[in-house]
Amino acid sequence: MAAIAGTPSPPYYAVIFTNLQASDTESYTATADRMVVLAQTQPGFLGFESARSGLGISVSYWRDTECIRLWKLNSEHLVAQSRGREAWYSCYKTRICKVERDYAFDADKGG
Amino acid sequence: MAAIAGTPSPPYYAVIFTNLQASDTESYTATADRMVVLAQTQPGFLGFESARSGLGISVSYWRDTECIRLWKLNSEHLVAQSRGREAWYSCYKTRICKVERDYAFDADKGG
């Protein structure tokens, strides 16, 4: 999903998930794709961005911390998180952030 | 630089820079690498993470918003930002965030 997330005006929240994969990546991609679809059905979901080149960085955007808490506790997401620790990730770091300010540039619109 | 940044305990700040490249990427990589080196010499720099797969996501971590402001105004960085808008990026979004909470997993350390 190579697109910049169209988030509303701040404040809102970002969850930065930075990770390194382990050698076992069986069914990783299917599950990761499914999690993006599932997240979109959660209350307060605002957007998602992801990239990987060795290091993987995924950022999901949310209305508030309660929405982030509910997403973390989603039952299907809990299974994926567990599998992530057992198999897919050698290490990761999750950072919960309040987006205080943002600005954008678009060459087609003259900046 | 495929490593998870070793940041201190929150609160601290993150600048999420999400971007799509334009077709002209001449000298982009050299400048991007130079900016990472230069950022490390700035007051309050805490770490840097970057990945690209179509979409590029770079996250820099800082002590506070004043350090972010000073980095944005760094003269060599200003030249790079200008060149970025003129040539390298078709669009980007920058989000300034306060990291309120973080947690990590490391398979080698048992989670």
Side-chain angles (χ1 to χ4, degrees), chain A residues 5 7 12-13 18 49 51-53 61 85 90-92 94-98 100-105 107, chain B residues 5 7 12-13 18 49 51-53 61 85 90-92 94-98 100-105 107:
Chain A
T7 40
Y12 55 92
Y13 274 79
T18 310
E49 296 166 342
R52 179 178 300 280
S53 38
Y61 299 100
R85 285 186 295 271
S90 63
C91 53
Y92 63 71
T94 303
R95 294 174 171 101
I96 291 91
C97 318
K98 184 178 189 177
E100 297 183 343
R101 196 159 61 81
D102 63 16
Y103 56 91
F105 166 79
Chain B
T7 39
Y12 55 93
Y13 274 79
T18 311
E49 296 166 343
R52 179 178 300 281
S53 37
Y61 298 100
R85 286 186 295 271
S90 63
C91 52
Y92 63 70
T94 304
R95 294 175 172 99
I96 291 89
C97 319
K98 184 178 190 177
E100 297 183 343
R101 197 158 59 80
D102 64 16
Y103 55 91
F105 165 78

Side-chain angles (χ1 to χ4, degrees), chain B:
Chain B
M1 191 195 292
I4 297 174
T7 39
S9 296
Y12 55 93
Y13 274 79
V15 178
I16 307 172
F17 178 68
T18 311
N19 62 81
L20 288 169
Q21 288 183 313
S23 51
D24 177 4
T25 56
E26 189 188 338
S27 75
Y28 170 80
T29 303
T31 303
D33 290 349
R34 167 67 187 149
M35 287 305 111
V36 175
V37 171
L38 188 62
Q40 290 174 22
T41 69
Q42 287 285 123
F45 175 86
L46 300 177
F48 179 77
E49 296 166 343
S50 188
R52 179 178 300 281
S53 37
L55 190 69
I57 306 177
S58 296
V59 189
S60 57
Y61 298 100
W62 301 89
R63 189 172 58 222
D64 54 40
T65 54
E66 175 63 10
C67 295
I68 293 169
R69 192 181 72 84
L70 289 174
W71 168 232
K72 189 167 165 56
L73 295 176
N74 174 288
S75 57
E76 194 176 339
H77 189 203
L78 282 172
V79 173
Q81 290 171 66
S82 174
R83 186 80 186 128
R85 286 186 295 271
E86 287 165 9
W88 296 321
Y89 298 117
S90 63
C91 52
Y92 63 70
K93 186 145 188 159
T94 304
R95 294 175 172 99
I96 291 89
C97 319
K98 184 178 190 177
V99 181
E100 297 183 343
R101 197 158 59 80
D102 64 16
Y103 55 91
F105 165 78
D106 189 330
D108 290 340
K109 294 175 185 166

Side-chain angles (χ1 to χ4, degrees), chain A residues 75-89:
Chain A
S75 57
E76 194 176 338
H77 189 203
L78 282 172
V79 172
Q81 290 171 64
S82 174
R83 185 80 187 130
R85 285 186 295 271
E86 287 165 8
W88 296 321
Y89 299 118

